Each structure stands twice: as structure tokens, then as C-alpha cells.
Amino acid sequence: MKQLIWFRNDLRLRDNPTVAAALQSCANNEPIFGLYLYSEAQWQAHDWAPIKVDLLLRHLKELQQEAAQWGIALHIKSVRDWQTVPRVVRDFCAEHEIQQVYWNCEYPLHEQRRDRATRNWLTDNGVAVTSFHGEVLVPPILRTQAGAYYKKFTPYFKAWQQHLRTTGLPKPYEKPNRTAVQCPSFPETVDYARRDSSAWVVGEHAVWQQLDAFVAEQVRDYNADRDLPAIHGTSKLSAYFELGALGPVTAARRLQQLAPEFPDGLNEGAHTWLSELAWREFYQHLMDAEPRLSWGQAFQPHTDAFPWNDSATDFQAWCEGRTGYPIVDAGMRQLQQEGWMHNRVRMIVANFLVKDLHIDWRKGERFFMQNLIDGSFPANNGGWQWSASTGTDAVPYFRVFNPTSQSQKVDPDGSYIRKYVPELAHCPQREIHAPEQWLKLSDVDYPTPIVDHKEAREGFLRKFKAL
């Protein structure tokens, strides 16, 4: 029986339940097809960053070649948009006489609609469909005792860990002893802006090496180091989780090597990193439970009445890193230069946009997606709504980050600021976080703060409380 693996954001061969199922069901001499569909129009509609597209295509090329060695012919095809996908998949199955299709579920609304339509088209044409939850460790099935989905992370995390204790991790599988196949052609041209992502490795082997190095050398101190943007304290694996080049099962299995009683027994750093994996899945859980999140609506509907500031000048200053607050400007310039920003700084710049400049969080959410190499719709939406106090389990609205004190806390000697705001390279450490006085005595072209934090904070609290 001919099999098809429909790849999505699960671009890996190992620890992928669709690949495991196809290999188990298929005899060595039977063909296995792979299919990856992309749409430039869909990328545009979902604000995919050019650097993310570049990383995707580089990794796809590596995956396609390795899949051929596994005996899987991975075809990569362009489609106009998601509405045309059911017909394209049906026609591909008809052309290659495929009788069984496997895929991993995706949870945003458009993807769920696409999959329902595709399943209907295939089953109507006699093609069997089996779906898995290969993008998460725990499917979005967790419920409270009252039968509702979890709206707070802490109880969700407890239930999430209990699910892992009960089910355990799936067993790994090795590269099969199958005859290699000819590698299908790779798209010669893609009609989408590209930005060089060569600073990021591609290919499963290279990504696994990066994971191994992080777990061996850094995860123990992760709980302390993750908040310091001047050091290499985070895993920088988020882009690979987003593409599915790295599966959550692989990451969990590495942690299990540190504590056989996993998910218990981990040291503080490893446990903190495990909670970050759970946060990623919590936001997918919410996306599955609340379709309105896919439409750009706030989780707390009453907050959509907030009187946002529409100042294009303020927003542009934030985008370009010209706010006059060094830690905010350093973060935004890192994003522009590298297509990535340290996670703690993401929280600071997001809080500043919403609670100091009073600009709609959706504008920031979109700008991040347009520039981040690891832009994830569920995680990005969840993070922005957390910062804006509009989402579930959000930071209380009265908690407004002071960008100066945050800067002193996370970048005490100003190393991060000096790297990305070179105008302040020679600013003394005692003034680097609020350099207004130093600027008056020096010939440096750096803006004064575009907003008074104390006044902006009071205005935000007043407006939010009125809701």
C-alpha cells in the first residue's frame, strides 16, 4: 500500500509520529511519498519574516535529501493558498495511487479548516487519513475537573506534567534499512523576499548537536542566565521548534537523560526550561480552544475597547529603536539586525509599546512576526497578550515595567546596550540605562526619551481601569 507523509511544521524524520507510522505500515519495497506545500500568498497573509522563509527553504533542502536516503521521496510544491490545498493533495494522491495519508495536526483556525476539508476530499475518494499530535508533547486535550480547558498556566503545567508521567515518551526509532530513492526536484524560484539566515544551522544532525550542547553545557544555569541578554544563556532553538526541525519529544528525551524519573527530578535550570516547552504548548492549547484568537481578538474581549494611541511617529520610533530608552532600543535594533531578540528583552519592548506608548499590541505582534526568524503565531500572540494584559494568565494590568529599572536588572554593566546602541558605547556604566545627563555633556546623536515613563504609566492605568 502506497503511503504519503504530508509534512507541515514538523520538518524532521526522527521523533515524528507520521514518519514512524509510515515506516511501520510500509514494506521495504513499497514507496513512501512525502509532500510539503507552501504558498507565498499564505506567508504574506500570515506575516512570515523573510529570514524565516530563508531558514525554512534551506532546511527543506537538507530534509529532502536526507529523506531520499530513508527511501522517502519528498515533493515540495507551491499552492495558491490554503483553499486550494484539498484539491492539490487529492490530485497528488490520485497521480501516485496513494491509499494512506499521515499528517500532524495544527491548531490555528485556518489550518484546522484546511485539514477538515482535505480529510473529507480524501475519504470521499477512498484514501485513508491518520492524524497525530506530533507538534506537541501533550495534545490539547487537558481539561479541568469541571471539564473546561485550562486558562491559567500553573494548573495547566501541573496537568501537563501528570500527563507525561502517565503516558511516558514514545520510543525512538532508527533510520530504516530501505533502498534510497531519487530526490525530487527542489523549487528553483520562490516569489518571496528573502533575508540571509546562514548564521543559523540547518539539517537535523546540526540542530540535534545544538540541542545536545545546550543540555550538556547550559541548561543547569538556565533559570538564572535566561534573563541576561548580554550572555548566551538561552537555547536559541525556538526557530527549529517553530519549523518542526526539532521535535518536543527529542528535547524531552534529552532532559530525561538528566533525570530518569522525568518529568520529575530535574534541577532548577532544566525544570525551568521544561516549563518553557510547556508554555509553548499552552499557547497552542489556547489557540485550539479559542478560535477568536486566530482573528486577532483579545482573549479578554472588554480590553478591545481600550483607546489606543494611533501615533505613527511613536510606532516608527519603537520599530527603529529610537525611543530614547536604551534597553528598548537595543532590543529593537537586535531584531532588525539579526531577525531575533532575546526573550526577556521581548517582554520589555512589548510592555513599553503597550503601556508606555499606549499602542495596540496587535501592531507589535505583527511587527514581530514580520521580522522574527522564530515567529510562531500561537506563541507570539500569547506573549503579546500576556504583556498587554489582554490575554489569559496575563500579567496584571497594573504591573507596568519601568524600562530603566528593567535595564539595570537584566543588563547591569550595559554590555548588551553598547553592542546594539553603539552611540552609547562610551557612556559610563552609572548612566548607561538613563543617559540624558551624559548626553548633555557629549556630542552624541541619541534621542531623548519620547515619553515620560511615570506619566505614561499613570495614563495607562487610568484608561485600563476605566474598562
Side-chain angles (χ1 to χ4, degrees):
M1 183 169 65
K2 294 183 178 180
Q3 321 269 326
L4 172 66
I5 304 168
W6 180 9
F7 288 93
R8 289 94 170 277
N9 286 358
D10 55 350
L11 298 178
R12 64 189 183 276
L13 298 173
R14 299 165 184 83
D15 288 335
N16 188 333
T18 64
V19 176
L23 293 174
Q24 185 177 9
S25 302
C26 194
N28 286 341
N29 60 342
E30 291 180 326
I32 298 179
F33 292 88
L35 180 64
Y36 181 83
L37 302 176
Y38 68 92
S39 165
E40 293 95 338
Q42 206 72 21
W43 288 340
Q44 190 70 42
H46 287 82
D47 297 309
W48 271 48
I51 193 172
K52 180 180 176 181
V53 171
D54 190 67
L55 182 71
L56 164 70
L57 295 174
R58 289 175 54 230
H59 180 74
L60 263 177
K61 196 165 190 176
E62 293 283 334
L63 177 67
Q64 187 184 48
Q65 294 171 355
E66 186 173 8
Q69 298 302 310
W70 282 48
I72 301 171
L74 174 53
H75 295 258
I76 301 168
K77 294 181 176 292
S78 173
V79 296
R80 188 185 72 232
D81 51 40
W82 276 177
Q83 282 69 37
T84 62
V85 165
R87 175 182 55 79
V88 172
V89 176
R90 182 202 62 181
D91 292 349
F92 185 89
C93 290
E95 177 185 356
H96 297 284
E97 300 179 334
I98 289 166
Q99 300 162 287
Q100 173 72 59
V101 177
Y102 303 99
W103 69 60
N104 281 313
C105 296
E106 294 181 314
Y107 308 110
L109 181 62
H110 291 164
E111 284 74 4
Q112 291 198 37
R113 289 178 171 175
R114 173 202 65 193
D115 290 353
R116 284 195 296 268
T118 305
R119 183 185 292 271
N120 291 338
W121 279 52
L122 291 177
T123 54
D124 287 347
N125 286 271
V127 180
V129 176
T130 305
S131 59
F132 300 90
H133 293 279
E135 292 192 25
V136 291
L137 277 167
V138 179
I141 58 173
L142 300 180
R143 294 295 183 267
T144 66
Q145 291 184 347
Y149 69 90
Y150 284 95
K151 300 179 182 180
K152 299 290 184 182
F153 176 73
T154 299
Y156 170 83
F157 186 37
K158 291 179 180 178
W160 187 85
Q161 292 178 90
Q162 183 56 42
H163 185 91
L164 290 181
R165 293 185 191 101
T166 303
T167 62
L169 299 177
K171 295 181 180 179
Y173 54 90
E174 301 296 329
K175 175 183 176 181
N177 184 23
R178 289 175 52 86
T179 303
V181 298
Q182 184 176 354
C183 189
S185 60
F186 193 82
E188 294 184 5
T189 59
V190 173
D191 186 19
Y192 200 83
R194 300 274 291 276
R195 178 181 174 185
D196 180 32
S197 65
S198 58
W200 298 72
V201 301
V202 291
E204 280 189 73
H205 180 68
V207 174
W208 278 36
Q209 284 185 319
Q210 193 164 313
L211 170 66
D212 289 343
F214 170 72
V215 173
E217 301 166 13
Q218 295 173 263
V219 78
R220 175 172 293 277
D221 300 318
Y222 176 77
N223 57 305
D225 292 350
R226 65 176 179 152
D227 284 334
L228 305 175
I231 67 174
H232 183 46
T234 64
S235 70
K236 293 196 78 169
L237 292 168
S238 51
Y240 304 115
F241 282 120
E242 167 58 14
L243 297 182
L246 177 62
V249 169
T250 307
R253 194 173 286 124
R254 291 297 186 275
L255 293 180
Q256 190 177 45
Q257 293 174 358
L258 302 178
E261 59 272 36
F262 177 86
D264 303 304
L266 295 169
N267 62 53
E268 188 174 358
H271 180 78
T272 301
W273 194 59
L274 179 69
S275 74
E276 293 298 325
L277 298 181
W279 268 109
R280 174 181 173 272
E281 300 196 1
F282 179 57
Y283 288 137
Q284 296 187 71
H285 160 92
L286 293 177
M287 195 66 64
D288 179 71
E290 290 291 353
R292 72 175 183 273
L293 298 179
S294 294
W295 292 106
Q297 298 175 12
F299 184 86
Q300 299 181 36
H302 71 280
T303 63
D304 279 333
F306 189 91
W308 299 111
N309 169 23
D310 291 328
S311 171
T313 301
D314 287 353
F315 182 65
Q316 193 65 23
W318 178 82
C319 292
E320 296 176 358
R322 296 186 293 102
T323 68
Y325 287 90
I327 191 67
V328 174
D329 294 342
M332 297 308 294
R333 295 186 194 187
Q334 182 184 27
L335 176 60
Q336 296 278 26
Q337 293 172 27
E338 301 176 6
W340 186 83
M341 189 195 303
H342 188 276
N343 188 61
R344 179 69 184 187
V345 183
R346 295 187 198 195
M347 296 165 61
I348 295 172
V349 304
N351 198 279
F352 182 84
L353 181 73
V354 175
K355 297 183 177 179
D356 281 80
L357 299 183
H358 303 181
I359 291 176
D360 193 335
W361 59 269
R362 280 162 281 240
K363 291 186 177 181
E365 177 195 25
R366 186 182 185 196
F367 187 80
F368 268 26
M369 286 298 296
Q370 291 171 335
N371 289 275
L372 282 171
I373 195 169
D374 60 354
S376 162
F377 179 36
N380 190 49
N381 178 273
W384 271 96
Q385 294 220 45
W386 183 90
S387 294
S389 303
T390 64
T392 180
D393 211 15
V395 59
Y397 78 89
F398 49 81
R399 184 184 176 194
V400 180
F401 286 178
N402 182 317
T404 302
S405 59
Q406 285 290 316
S407 181
Q408 293 166 339
K409 179 179 180 180
V410 305
D411 189 30
D413 64 359
S415 297
Y416 177 77
I417 291 172
R418 290 187 178 89
K419 179 177 181 180
Y420 294 103
V421 188
E423 305 98 298
L424 303 180
H426 302 293
C427 182
Q429 180 176 331
R430 66 181 178 275
E431 298 184 51
I432 189 75
H433 307 287
E436 294 97 316
Q437 297 302 316
W438 177 77
L439 289 170
K440 292 177 182 178
L441 303 175
S442 60
D443 185 22
V444 173
D445 183 18
Y446 181 73
T448 57
I450 63 174
V451 66
D452 180 275
H453 171 69
K454 182 178 180 181
E455 292 179 0
R457 177 184 183 276
E458 292 173 352
F460 177 82
L461 296 180
R462 184 174 60 254
K463 293 175 183 178
F464 206 101
K465 189 175 182 179
L467 297 178

